[in-house]
Amino acid sequence: MPLTPAFESWRREGKTFRHRGHAIFYRDEGQGPVLLAIHGFPSASWDWHPMWSALTARYRVIAPDMIGYGWSDKPRRYAYSLMDQAALHRSLLRALAIDRVHLFAHDYGVSVACELLAQQHLAEAGALTIDSLCLLNGGVFPETHRPLVIQRVLASRVGPILARLTRKSDFERGFRRIFAEPPAQDLLDELWRLLRHQDGRRVLPKLLGYMRERRVHRERWVTPLVEPRIPIRLIDGTVDPVSGKSLVARFRQLVPQADVVELPHAGHYPQLEDPQAVLRAFFAFQDAHASAIRPRSGA
């Protein structure tokens, strides 16, 4: 399939580092405070591209494709876990001599961000210093997460068989269900190309182990949110059937003085569906707390 110039340049301008012997793709651009952007399932750092130029005008933005995703390696014999993905981000930042960041996370990446935040909250050795956290539609609370039927099946015993049989039409049908408006065909083509790299369909069942991990580690990952020590904002596309209105309601119920921006016209991927609204909400959040955040080191 023909690729858009922007999509081609995204990969061409990326870099790689190695995590546990595997090549990991990442983008690193801009100057200023460091913003670590953590993508969701089953996509990649490409999710941030509509906001990239605006973000990199104010921040040094680092956005990897996690192992098993996008242009990164997708080993079949690998113990995929959210804990390991958090370790991957720490390893990347360590390689770049960065120990202080703002976090911007979506979907699967929300749980990775919560693990990084938990490490800081518990003062664990090697923890990053996190100055702020901004979340986009994600399973913060496992009790409100509403996975699609296809996700449940892929996570089951028959998942490996179904994954091998997944067609582009199946993939597109799933994505159309979680967008408020049908996504552009170019975007669907790009996301499918990212999934097909190294036949990423075959590792989907292993990646979906995150649903169980969220239940197992709920207290560890939720506690830093309900006992916040840094500014936290949730930006949520409420048309999302997976983590929309139910997430917003639970967040407001449990998080003291919950900072929530609802986007009633967006679904599960607000950064792709309405990037300008997300940018406004994100920059307003950052500006409101700028004076409360200590000076930050870059690289």
Side-chain angles (χ1 to χ4, degrees), residues 68-291:
Y69 292 88
W71 299 122
S72 290
D73 282 349
K74 300 170 181 175
R76 295 184 189 176
R77 295 183 178 180
Y78 192 85
Y80 291 97
S81 74
L82 292 164
M83 294 288 194
D84 181 63
Q85 302 288 15
L88 179 153
H89 285 85
R90 286 200 319 272
S91 296
L92 171 58
L93 294 174
R94 189 180 307 117
L96 298 174
I98 294 169
D99 61 6
R100 192 177 199 112
V101 297
H102 297 273
L103 296 182
F104 201 0
H106 171 242
D107 183 67
Y108 178 97
V110 164
S111 294
V112 176
C114 287
E115 167 57 22
L116 294 172
L117 185 60
Q119 293 169 13
Q120 173 176 264
H121 197 81
L122 297 170
E124 295 182 354
L128 293 171
T129 298
I130 299 167
D131 285 323
S132 70
L133 171 61
C134 188
L135 307 173
L136 294 170
N137 298 58
V140 178
F141 309 106
E143 63 268 26
T144 65
H145 183 237
R146 303 287 185 266
L148 300 176
V149 172
I150 185 64
Q151 290 178 302
R152 290 178 178 148
V153 177
L154 281 169
S156 71
R157 291 182 180 180
V158 300
I161 298 173
L162 178 63
R164 291 196 300 271
L165 299 175
T166 299
R167 301 167 297 177
K168 187 169 184 282
S169 58
D170 302 320
F171 174 82
E172 291 181 354
R173 189 179 307 114
F175 260 84
R176 290 191 179 101
R177 284 194 61 198
I178 59 177
F179 276 61
E181 299 291 339
Q185 188 60 47
D186 282 351
L187 175 62
L188 292 172
D189 292 343
E190 292 158 356
L191 294 175
W192 176 249
R193 176 66 178 271
L194 289 165
L195 179 64
R196 287 285 293 145
H197 176 65
Q198 294 188 4
D199 199 7
R201 294 174 301 174
R202 290 179 177 265
V203 303
L204 289 177
K206 289 189 173 184
L207 291 172
L208 280 163
Y210 75 81
M211 293 191 289
R212 178 180 177 276
E213 285 183 90
R214 282 173 172 170
R215 295 190 295 271
V216 171
H217 300 293
R218 184 191 184 282
E219 183 177 357
R220 175 179 174 87
W221 294 342
V222 169
T223 297
L225 300 179
V226 301
E227 299 175 2
R229 298 174 186 170
I230 63 169
I232 299 173
R233 169 168 282 187
L234 170 66
I235 304 172
D236 194 89
T238 56
V239 182
D240 178 14
V242 178
S243 50
K245 292 181 179 179
S246 60
L247 167 61
V248 169
R250 189 64 167 159
F251 195 87
R252 286 198 165 115
Q253 180 183 28
L254 295 183
V255 177
Q257 299 179 324
D259 182 351
V260 180
V261 175
E262 295 184 52
L263 303 179
H265 52 279
H268 189 66
Y269 276 82
Q271 72 274 43
L272 293 174
E273 299 176 62
D274 193 347
Q276 293 306 311
V278 174
L279 282 168
R280 286 192 298 271
F282 176 73
F283 287 147
F285 166 65
Q286 289 289 311
D287 292 342
H289 296 285
S291 61

